[in-house]
mmCIF file of all heavy atoms in Angstrom:
data_model
loop_
_atom_site.group_PDB
_atom_site.id
_atom_site.type_symbol
_atom_site.label_atom_id
_atom_site.label_comp_id
_atom_site.label_asym_id
_atom_site.label_seq_id
_atom_site.Cartn_x
_atom_site.Cartn_y
_atom_site.Cartn_z
ATOM 1 N N THR V 10 7.140 100.076 3.456
ATOM 2 C CA THR V 10 5.864 99.612 4.015
ATOM 3 C C THR V 10 5.176 100.835 4.608
ATOM 4 O O THR V 10 5.827 101.874 4.782
ATOM 5 C CB THR V 10 6.081 98.595 5.153
ATOM 6 O OG1 THR V 10 6.570 99.296 6.308
ATOM 7 C CG2 THR V 10 7.052 97.503 4.742
ATOM 8 N N PRO V 11 3.902 100.731 4.958
ATOM 9 C CA PRO V 11 3.304 101.853 5.677
ATOM 10 C C PRO V 11 3.999 101.999 7.031
ATOM 11 O O PRO V 11 4.619 101.055 7.517
ATOM 12 C CB PRO V 11 1.847 101.411 5.900
ATOM 13 C CG PRO V 11 1.618 100.269 4.983
ATOM 14 C CD PRO V 11 2.939 99.621 4.751
ATOM 15 N N LEU V 12 3.884 103.172 7.603
ATOM 16 C CA LEU V 12 4.353 103.323 8.976
ATOM 17 C C LEU V 12 3.175 102.996 9.883
ATOM 18 O O LEU V 12 2.102 103.571 9.744
ATOM 19 C CB LEU V 12 4.795 104.765 9.239
ATOM 20 C CG LEU V 12 6.012 105.281 8.473
ATOM 21 C CD1 LEU V 12 6.564 106.517 9.167
ATOM 22 C CD2 LEU V 12 7.092 104.231 8.313
ATOM 23 N N TYR V 13 3.391 102.096 10.781
ATOM 24 C CA TYR V 13 2.285 101.618 11.609
ATOM 25 C C TYR V 13 2.014 102.563 12.764
ATOM 26 O O TYR V 13 2.940 103.076 13.393
ATOM 27 C CB TYR V 13 2.604 100.194 12.102
ATOM 28 C CG TYR V 13 2.840 99.287 10.917
ATOM 29 C CD1 TYR V 13 4.129 98.943 10.515
ATOM 30 C CD2 TYR V 13 1.769 98.877 10.133
ATOM 31 C CE1 TYR V 13 4.336 98.171 9.380
ATOM 32 C CE2 TYR V 13 1.972 98.107 9.001
ATOM 33 C CZ TYR V 13 3.259 97.765 8.624
ATOM 34 O OH TYR V 13 3.461 97.021 7.493
ATOM 35 N N TYR V 14 0.732 102.761 13.042
ATOM 36 C CA TYR V 14 0.357 103.562 14.206
ATOM 37 C C TYR V 14 0.773 102.824 15.467
ATOM 38 O O TYR V 14 0.613 101.600 15.550
ATOM 39 C CB TYR V 14 -1.157 103.757 14.252
ATOM 40 C CG TYR V 14 -1.692 104.719 13.223
ATOM 41 C CD1 TYR V 14 -2.741 104.346 12.377
ATOM 42 C CD2 TYR V 14 -1.189 106.014 13.113
ATOM 43 C CE1 TYR V 14 -3.272 105.226 11.451
ATOM 44 C CE2 TYR V 14 -1.717 106.897 12.181
ATOM 45 C CZ TYR V 14 -2.743 106.505 11.349
ATOM 46 O OH TYR V 14 -3.269 107.370 10.436
ATOM 47 N N HIS V 20 -0.881 93.580 14.803
ATOM 48 C CA HIS V 20 -1.708 92.391 14.567
ATOM 49 C C HIS V 20 -1.333 91.763 13.224
ATOM 50 O O HIS V 20 -0.423 92.240 12.535
ATOM 51 C CB HIS V 20 -3.191 92.716 14.675
ATOM 52 C CG HIS V 20 -3.684 93.763 13.718
ATOM 53 N ND1 HIS V 20 -3.589 93.624 12.354
ATOM 54 C CD2 HIS V 20 -4.277 94.962 13.931
ATOM 55 C CE1 HIS V 20 -4.118 94.682 11.768
ATOM 56 N NE2 HIS V 20 -4.529 95.519 12.704
ATOM 57 N N ILE V 21 -2.052 90.719 12.834
ATOM 58 C CA ILE V 21 -1.625 89.985 11.641
ATOM 59 C C ILE V 21 -1.663 90.841 10.375
ATOM 60 O O ILE V 21 -0.884 90.619 9.457
ATOM 61 C CB ILE V 21 -2.432 88.681 11.414
ATOM 62 C CG1 ILE V 21 -3.917 88.977 11.321
ATOM 63 C CG2 ILE V 21 -2.140 87.657 12.495
ATOM 64 C CD1 ILE V 21 -4.725 87.790 10.808
ATOM 65 N N GLY V 22 -2.565 91.822 10.335
ATOM 66 C CA GLY V 22 -2.622 92.714 9.172
ATOM 67 C C GLY V 22 -1.298 93.443 8.961
ATOM 68 O O GLY V 22 -0.784 93.521 7.855
ATOM 69 N N HIS V 23 -0.753 93.979 10.056
ATOM 70 C CA HIS V 23 0.533 94.679 9.944
ATOM 71 C C HIS V 23 1.631 93.713 9.500
ATOM 72 O O HIS V 23 2.479 94.042 8.682
ATOM 73 C CB HIS V 23 0.945 95.296 11.283
ATOM 74 C CG HIS V 23 -0.111 96.175 11.890
ATOM 75 N ND1 HIS V 23 -0.520 96.042 13.191
ATOM 76 C CD2 HIS V 23 -0.850 97.179 11.373
ATOM 77 C CE1 HIS V 23 -1.460 96.933 13.451
ATOM 78 N NE2 HIS V 23 -1.680 97.647 12.360
ATOM 79 N N TYR V 25 1.399 91.160 7.765
ATOM 80 C CA TYR V 25 1.214 90.758 6.357
ATOM 81 C C TYR V 25 2.025 91.659 5.429
ATOM 82 O O TYR V 25 2.800 91.186 4.592
ATOM 83 C CB TYR V 25 -0.266 90.857 6.027
ATOM 84 C CG TYR V 25 -0.685 90.349 4.667
ATOM 85 C CD1 TYR V 25 -0.165 89.163 4.148
ATOM 86 C CD2 TYR V 25 -1.635 91.039 3.911
ATOM 87 C CE1 TYR V 25 -0.591 88.680 2.915
ATOM 88 C CE2 TYR V 25 -2.070 90.559 2.686
ATOM 89 C CZ TYR V 25 -1.544 89.380 2.189
ATOM 90 O OH TYR V 25 -1.969 88.910 0.978
ATOM 91 N N THR V 26 1.841 92.959 5.574
ATOM 92 C CA THR V 26 2.568 93.884 4.703
ATOM 93 C C THR V 26 4.075 93.715 4.867
ATOM 94 O O THR V 26 4.820 93.715 3.885
ATOM 95 C CB THR V 26 2.192 95.354 5.025
ATOM 96 O OG1 THR V 26 0.807 95.419 5.360
ATOM 97 C CG2 THR V 26 2.486 96.257 3.858
ATOM 98 N N ASP V 53 4.346 105.377 12.790
ATOM 99 C CA ASP V 53 3.648 106.651 12.651
ATOM 100 C C ASP V 53 3.213 107.035 14.061
ATOM 101 O O ASP V 53 2.369 106.361 14.650
ATOM 102 C CB ASP V 53 2.432 106.389 11.742
ATOM 103 C CG ASP V 53 1.737 107.649 11.300
ATOM 104 O OD1 ASP V 53 2.096 108.737 11.798
ATOM 105 O OD2 ASP V 53 0.830 107.547 10.464
ATOM 106 N N LYS V 58 -4.977 109.619 17.675
ATOM 107 C CA LYS V 58 -5.078 108.216 18.129
ATOM 108 C C LYS V 58 -4.040 107.921 19.197
ATOM 109 O O LYS V 58 -4.324 107.265 20.187
ATOM 110 C CB LYS V 58 -4.731 107.271 16.960
ATOM 111 C CG LYS V 58 -5.819 106.976 15.979
ATOM 112 C CD LYS V 58 -5.319 105.839 15.070
ATOM 113 C CE LYS V 58 -5.732 105.966 13.630
ATOM 114 N NZ LYS V 58 -7.123 105.719 13.362
ATOM 115 N N TRP V 231 -1.344 112.589 8.492
ATOM 116 C CA TRP V 231 -1.024 111.981 7.189
ATOM 117 C C TRP V 231 0.003 112.784 6.405
ATOM 118 O O TRP V 231 0.860 112.233 5.729
ATOM 119 C CB TRP V 231 -2.291 111.814 6.334
ATOM 120 C CG TRP V 231 -2.932 110.495 6.597
ATOM 121 C CD1 TRP V 231 -4.039 110.257 7.370
ATOM 122 C CD2 TRP V 231 -2.489 109.218 6.121
ATOM 123 N NE1 TRP V 231 -4.303 108.920 7.407
ATOM 124 C CE2 TRP V 231 -3.379 108.255 6.645
ATOM 125 C CE3 TRP V 231 -1.433 108.793 5.315
ATOM 126 C CZ2 TRP V 231 -3.246 106.897 6.378
ATOM 127 C CZ3 TRP V 231 -1.297 107.447 5.055
ATOM 128 C CH2 TRP V 231 -2.194 106.512 5.581
ATOM 129 N N ALA V 234 3.200 111.861 8.050
ATOM 130 C CA ALA V 234 3.659 110.471 7.893
ATOM 131 C C ALA V 234 4.116 110.140 6.472
ATOM 132 O O ALA V 234 5.118 109.458 6.280
ATOM 133 C CB ALA V 234 2.562 109.512 8.319
ATOM 134 N N LEU V 235 3.385 110.605 5.482
ATOM 135 C CA LEU V 235 3.739 110.254 4.100
ATOM 136 C C LEU V 235 5.172 110.685 3.767
ATOM 137 O O LEU V 235 5.876 110.036 2.995
ATOM 138 C CB LEU V 235 2.757 110.898 3.117
ATOM 139 C CG LEU V 235 1.366 110.251 3.072
ATOM 140 C CD1 LEU V 235 0.355 111.182 2.412
ATOM 141 C CD2 LEU V 235 1.414 108.905 2.346
ATOM 142 N N ASN V 237 7.727 110.386 5.346
ATOM 143 C CA ASN V 237 8.793 109.475 5.802
ATOM 144 C C ASN V 237 9.518 108.815 4.636
ATOM 145 O O ASN V 237 10.703 108.515 4.718
ATOM 146 C CB ASN V 237 8.210 108.392 6.709
ATOM 147 C CG ASN V 237 7.741 107.170 5.929
ATOM 148 O OD1 ASN V 237 8.527 106.269 5.645
ATOM 149 N ND2 ASN V 237 6.475 107.149 5.529
ATOM 150 N N TYR V 238 8.778 108.599 3.562
ATOM 151 C CA TYR V 238 9.378 107.882 2.433
ATOM 152 C C TYR V 238 10.545 108.664 1.829
ATOM 153 O O TYR V 238 11.444 108.064 1.244
ATOM 154 C CB TYR V 238 8.321 107.604 1.355
ATOM 155 C CG TYR V 238 7.138 106.786 1.827
ATOM 156 C CD1 TYR V 238 5.827 107.187 1.559
ATOM 157 C CD2 TYR V 238 7.320 105.603 2.536
ATOM 158 C CE1 TYR V 238 4.737 106.431 1.977
ATOM 159 C CE2 TYR V 238 6.238 104.843 2.967
ATOM 160 C CZ TYR V 238 4.949 105.267 2.679
ATOM 161 O OH TYR V 238 3.877 104.516 3.096
ATOM 162 N N ILE V 263 1.224 98.873 0.384
ATOM 163 C CA ILE V 263 0.241 99.379 1.352
ATOM 164 C C ILE V 263 -0.980 98.456 1.389
ATOM 165 O O ILE V 263 -1.139 97.598 0.517
ATOM 166 C CB ILE V 263 -0.250 100.803 0.973
ATOM 167 C CG1 ILE V 263 -0.893 100.789 -0.431
ATOM 168 C CG2 ILE V 263 0.877 101.815 1.040
ATOM 169 C CD1 ILE V 263 -1.659 102.054 -0.771
ATOM 170 N N GLY V 264 -1.848 98.680 2.363
ATOM 171 C CA GLY V 264 -3.140 98.001 2.386
ATOM 172 C C GLY V 264 -4.150 98.830 1.627
ATOM 173 O O GLY V 264 -3.975 100.040 1.467
ATOM 174 N N LYS V 265 -5.208 98.205 1.189
ATOM 175 C CA LYS V 265 -6.175 98.902 0.328
ATOM 176 C C LYS V 265 -6.869 100.067 1.030
ATOM 177 O O LYS V 265 -7.366 100.981 0.378
ATOM 178 C CB LYS V 265 -7.225 97.908 -0.179
ATOM 179 C CG LYS V 265 -8.070 97.297 0.928
ATOM 180 C CD LYS V 265 -9.150 96.382 0.379
ATOM 181 C CE LYS V 265 -10.044 95.907 1.510
ATOM 182 N NZ LYS V 265 -11.115 95.027 1.082
ATOM 183 N N ASP V 266 -6.894 100.048 2.367
ATOM 184 C CA ASP V 266 -7.577 101.107 3.111
ATOM 185 C C ASP V 266 -6.838 102.437 3.066
ATOM 186 O O ASP V 266 -7.415 103.468 3.385
ATOM 187 C CB ASP V 266 -7.728 100.678 4.575
ATOM 188 C CG ASP V 266 -6.403 100.250 5.182
ATOM 189 O OD1 ASP V 266 -5.666 99.499 4.526
ATOM 190 O OD2 ASP V 266 -6.085 100.695 6.300
ATOM 191 N N ILE V 267 -5.566 102.412 2.690
ATOM 192 C CA ILE V 267 -4.835 103.686 2.680
ATOM 193 C C ILE V 267 -4.387 104.055 1.270
ATOM 194 O O ILE V 267 -3.384 104.731 1.068
ATOM 195 C CB ILE V 267 -3.651 103.666 3.684
ATOM 196 C CG1 ILE V 267 -2.718 102.479 3.437
ATOM 197 C CG2 ILE V 267 -4.158 103.593 5.106
ATOM 198 C CD1 ILE V 267 -1.479 102.488 4.339
ATOM 199 N N HIS V 271 -2.196 107.504 -0.423
ATOM 200 C CA HIS V 271 -0.967 107.218 -1.173
ATOM 201 C C HIS V 271 -1.075 107.543 -2.656
ATOM 202 O O HIS V 271 -0.080 107.877 -3.290
ATOM 203 C CB HIS V 271 -0.557 105.754 -0.998
ATOM 204 C CG HIS V 271 0.119 105.498 0.314
ATOM 205 N ND1 HIS V 271 -0.575 105.289 1.477
ATOM 206 C CD2 HIS V 271 1.433 105.447 0.654
ATOM 207 C CE1 HIS V 271 0.272 105.120 2.473
ATOM 208 N NE2 HIS V 271 1.506 105.200 2.000
ATOM 209 N N HIS V 293 -2.532 95.866 -1.210
ATOM 210 C CA HIS V 293 -2.974 94.483 -0.994
ATOM 211 C C HIS V 293 -4.324 94.453 -0.288
ATOM 212 O O HIS V 293 -4.814 95.472 0.201
ATOM 213 C CB HIS V 293 -1.921 93.685 -0.213
ATOM 214 C CG HIS V 293 -1.683 94.177 1.186
ATOM 215 N ND1 HIS V 293 -2.619 94.091 2.183
ATOM 216 C CD2 HIS V 293 -0.598 94.758 1.741
ATOM 217 C CE1 HIS V 293 -2.122 94.589 3.304
ATOM 218 N NE2 HIS V 293 -0.895 95.020 3.052
ATOM 219 N N GLY V 294 -4.905 93.249 -0.218
ATOM 220 C CA GLY V 294 -6.224 93.102 0.405
ATOM 221 C C GLY V 294 -6.115 92.965 1.911
ATOM 222 O O GLY V 294 -5.043 93.131 2.497
ATOM 223 N N TRP V 295 -7.231 92.667 2.509
ATOM 224 C CA TRP V 295 -7.311 92.571 3.960
ATOM 225 C C TRP V 295 -7.505 91.150 4.417
ATOM 226 O O TRP V 295 -8.153 90.353 3.741
ATOM 227 C CB TRP V 295 -8.497 93.412 4.448
ATOM 228 C CG TRP V 295 -8.062 94.803 4.739
ATOM 229 C CD1 TRP V 295 -7.344 95.617 3.912
ATOM 230 C CD2 TRP V 295 -8.293 95.510 5.943
ATOM 231 N NE1 TRP V 295 -7.099 96.794 4.552
ATOM 232 C CE2 TRP V 295 -7.683 96.761 5.794
ATOM 233 C CE3 TRP V 295 -8.958 95.218 7.136
ATOM 234 C CZ2 TRP V 295 -7.704 97.721 6.794
ATOM 235 C CZ3 TRP V 295 -8.990 96.174 8.136
ATOM 236 C CH2 TRP V 295 -8.363 97.419 7.966
ATOM 237 N N TRP V 296 -6.968 90.855 5.573
ATOM 238 C CA TRP V 296 -7.286 89.598 6.247
ATOM 239 C C TRP V 296 -8.504 89.836 7.109
ATOM 240 O O TRP V 296 -8.527 90.754 7.927
ATOM 241 C CB TRP V 296 -6.108 89.141 7.106
ATOM 242 C CG TRP V 296 -5.041 88.539 6.273
ATOM 243 C CD1 TRP V 296 -3.888 89.142 5.866
ATOM 244 C CD2 TRP V 296 -5.056 87.235 5.685
ATOM 245 N NE1 TRP V 296 -3.173 88.271 5.066
ATOM 246 C CE2 TRP V 296 -3.864 87.096 4.938
ATOM 247 C CE3 TRP V 296 -5.945 86.161 5.707
ATOM 248 C CZ2 TRP V 296 -3.548 85.943 4.227
ATOM 249 C CZ3 TRP V 296 -5.629 85.009 5.001
ATOM 250 C CH2 TRP V 296 -4.439 84.899 4.276
ATOM 251 N N LEU V 297 -9.498 88.997 6.880
ATOM 252 C CA LEU V 297 -10.731 89.108 7.657
ATOM 253 C C LEU V 297 -10.838 87.893 8.569
ATOM 254 O O LEU V 297 -10.252 86.840 8.301
ATOM 255 C CB LEU V 297 -11.936 89.141 6.720
ATOM 256 C CG LEU V 297 -11.907 90.245 5.658
ATOM 257 C CD1 LEU V 297 -13.051 90.071 4.679
ATOM 258 C CD2 LEU V 297 -11.960 91.619 6.306
ATOM 259 N N MET V 303 -10.929 92.822 11.604
ATOM 260 C CA MET V 303 -10.395 92.625 12.940
ATOM 261 C C MET V 303 -10.522 93.934 13.693
ATOM 262 O O MET V 303 -10.193 94.981 13.152
ATOM 263 C CB MET V 303 -8.899 92.319 12.825
ATOM 264 C CG MET V 303 -8.543 90.917 13.136
ATOM 265 S SD MET V 303 -6.779 90.684 13.058
ATOM 266 C CE MET V 303 -6.339 91.440 11.551
HETATM 267 N N1 LIG Q 514 -0.204 105.093 9.925
HETATM 268 C C1 LIG Q 514 -0.961 104.782 8.760
HETATM 269 C C2 LIG Q 514 -0.077 104.593 7.555
HETATM 270 C C3 LIG Q 514 0.824 105.734 7.242
HETATM 271 S S1 LIG Q 514 1.843 105.360 5.896
HETATM 272 C C4 LIG Q 514 2.671 106.764 5.606
HETATM 273 C C5 LIG Q 514 -1.771 103.507 8.988
HETATM 274 N N2 LIG Q 514 -1.332 102.713 9.946
HETATM 275 S S2 LIG Q 514 -2.056 101.362 10.414
HETATM 276 O O1 LIG Q 514 -1.217 100.847 11.466
HETATM 277 O O2 LIG Q 514 -3.409 101.616 10.730
HETATM 278 O O3 LIG Q 514 -2.092 100.378 9.214
HETATM 279 C C6 LIG Q 514 -0.964 100.048 8.525
HETATM 280 C C7 LIG Q 514 -1.229 98.997 7.487
HETATM 281 O O4 LIG Q 514 -1.723 97.789 8.030
HETATM 282 C C8 LIG Q 514 -2.222 99.422 6.426
HETATM 283 O O5 LIG Q 514 -1.634 99.234 5.169
HETATM 284 C C9 LIG Q 514 -3.362 98.493 6.594
HETATM 285 O O6 LIG Q 514 -3.984 98.167 5.418
HETATM 286 C C10 LIG Q 514 -2.683 97.271 7.153
HETATM 287 N N3 LIG Q 514 -3.689 96.486 7.770
HETATM 288 C C11 LIG Q 514 -4.387 96.828 8.879
HETATM 289 N N4 LIG Q 514 -5.303 95.843 9.084
HETATM 290 C C12 LIG Q 514 -5.230 94.900 8.112
HETATM 291 C C13 LIG Q 514 -5.821 93.653 7.867
HETATM 292 N N5 LIG Q 514 -6.774 93.193 8.625
HETATM 293 N N6 LIG Q 514 -5.358 92.924 6.823
HETATM 294 C C14 LIG Q 514 -4.327 93.330 6.056
HETATM 295 N N7 LIG Q 514 -3.745 94.495 6.274
HETATM 296 C C15 LIG Q 514 -4.290 95.381 7.175
HETATM 297 O O7 LIG Q 514 -2.727 103.289 8.304
#
Side-chain angles (χ1 to χ4, degrees):
T10 73
L12 294 198
Y13 302 101
Y14 287 128
H20 59 59
I21 57 168
H23 307 130
Y25 186 42
T26 323
D53 190 353
K58 278 190 218 288
W231 271 102
L235 286 163
N237 89 86
Y238 301 131
I263 59 168
K265 63 177 185 180
D266 53 315
I267 54 175
H271 281 83
H293 64 67
W295 270 50
W296 283 101
L297 304 173
M303 251 183 312

